[in-house]
Amino acid sequence: MEQVTEQWKVIVGFPDYEVSDLGRVRRISPARGTGVGKVLQPGTKKDGRLLVALRKDGNHHTKAVHVLVAKAFIPNPQNLPEVNHLGPLSDCRAVRLEWRSRKGNILHAMQNNLCKGDGVYFIKRDKKWEARYSPTPGNEVRLGHFFTKEDALTARKNAIDTMPEVL
């Protein structure tokens, strides 16, 4: 059986830490309460993404592990803005990550049934369907109210299809 060698790189902007291609983060300089080479225990967001707290200039900075891994080990010649998981959100190995556009990330999630729901909601008081999508993280756009769920789904699909960049 072939043995995998874990590769480590210093985290840009945080010279006291390294990130590995296996999705681990460790401290590489001595500090009070921790030792050199100590692997940090990540926290987990509700959605399963892993986070680590890095100290710099006396302040804590919370960073997503998958983004640290991607920046260190995955080339991004097209300067795409998002890191997409090719497996569970808790798997931050470089081989399970890729750079994508926002649209590409949404499409990957939709094609692999990773989205919560289908982006349409029934509004009881209006007795209509509402379609929504997020063209950028944290920015939800409401596309309007529709008489049928099918019309709402079509409006959402059309909005996503017209987003720039499919990568």
Side-chain angles (χ1 to χ4, degrees), residues 10-154:
V10 173
I11 298 172
V12 174
F14 294 88
D16 295 329
Y17 298 90
E18 289 179 323
V19 63
S20 84
D21 59 341
L22 298 182
R24 301 190 316 150
V25 178
R26 70 181 177 190
R27 183 151 185 102
I28 58 172
S29 63
R32 186 175 36 167
T34 187
V36 173
K38 180 180 182 210
V39 174
L40 278 60
Q41 185 64 40
T44 306
K45 287 179 68 174
K46 289 181 184 178
D47 65 4
R49 286 180 175 83
L50 302 181
L51 302 172
V52 290
L54 307 179
R55 286 189 63 86
K56 180 178 174 184
D57 300 326
N59 297 313
H60 281 94
H61 301 268
T62 302
K63 299 292 180 183
V65 175
H66 68 287
V67 175
L68 295 174
V69 173
K71 284 181 177 180
F73 294 99
I74 302 173
N76 188 7
Q78 294 178 293
N79 200 27
L80 297 170
E82 295 190 12
V83 179
N84 183 46
H85 284 83
L86 298 172
L89 297 179
S90 60
D91 186 350
C92 295
R93 294 175 295 156
V95 297
R96 303 294 287 161
L97 303 171
E98 66 180 356
W99 288 101
R100 286 261 182 141
S101 67
R102 178 67 179 158
K103 180 177 180 178
N105 212 350
I106 290 171
L107 290 175
H108 176 265
M110 289 174 59
Q111 291 164 348
N112 292 282
N113 295 319
L114 302 174
C115 298
K116 294 179 182 174
D118 53 15
V120 299
Y121 308 89
F122 187 70
I123 310 300
K124 289 181 183 178
R125 75 173 193 276
D126 297 334
K127 296 183 180 149
K128 292 182 182 175
W129 290 88
E130 181 177 79
R132 304 176 198 163
Y133 81 114
S134 297
T136 58
N139 178 26
E140 186 174 67
V141 174
R142 291 186 163 97
L143 299 170
H145 292 94
F146 303 87
F147 289 107
T148 67
K149 183 175 184 178
E150 293 73 26
D151 288 344
L153 286 167
T154 300

